[in-house]
Amino acid sequence: MARPRAAPALTGTADIDLSDVPGDLRRAVGAALHAAGVDDGHLGVEIVGKGRMRTLNYAARGVDEATDVLAFPIDDQPHETGPRELGDVFICPEKARNVTEAAIHGALHLCGFDHETDNGEMLELQAKVMAELR
């Protein structure tokens, strides 16, 4: 049985649903989405331990160790009806230097950014969002 959805937690833009993001990370995730030009959609952020992160990392990337953040995108295009499902971000505080920065990093991945293939744009945008939050 699906769990009931909380009312959308809006970030000032029309259709961003951050109800499945921990409260202390909503501002940062909303800022990342805004910086990426995303104005609709839902995403989830889950804080996990090293064991769960290791399992996720192995299943997704074949790497048998925990990492700081993983992002699993779902929809990459807006829908005609209703907000799109951007995906899920998993953060392991034991591996992350900064949980807020990890949340921004994961959100940018869900927006289509990839620091492994771009020319530094994603990490530059991540640094800009972090600076704006300070």
Side-chain angles (χ1 to χ4, degrees):
M1 182 168 145
R3 91 183 144 102
R5 302 259 320 200
L10 301 177
T11 61
T13 54
D15 294 310
I16 299 289
D17 179 357
L18 300 179
S19 60
D20 290 324
V21 175
D24 59 334
L25 297 175
R26 287 181 183 165
R27 180 171 172 249
V29 170
L33 296 177
H34 178 73
V38 173
D39 62 4
D40 77 310
H42 167 265
L43 68 100
V45 173
E46 187 174 337
I47 305 299
V48 298
K50 283 176 31 176
R52 176 80 172 124
M53 184 60 90
R54 179 180 177 184
T55 300
L56 289 166
N57 201 19
Y58 185 75
R61 301 173 52 222
V63 178
D64 193 17
E65 61 184 46
T67 189
D68 55 349
V69 59
L70 288 172
F72 296 95
I74 297 174
D75 292 341
D76 60 359
Q77 298 296 318
H79 291 275
E80 292 294 320
T81 58
R84 61 184 163 168
E85 182 63 39
L86 296 169
D88 295 301
V89 174
F90 295 86
I91 300 170
C92 179
E94 298 164 86
K95 298 294 283 186
R97 288 181 316 169
N98 182 311
V99 172
T100 299
E101 191 163 10
I104 293 166
H105 187 89
L108 291 175
H109 272 303
L110 296 183
C111 295
F113 286 88
D114 187 349
H115 57 87
E116 294 182 5
T117 61
D118 70 16
N119 292 315
E121 295 91 353
M122 177 181 168
L123 296 179
E124 184 178 314
L125 187 57
Q126 178 178 315
K128 180 182 175 195
V129 172
M130 283 295 293
E132 289 173 356
L133 292 173
R134 291 189 177 114

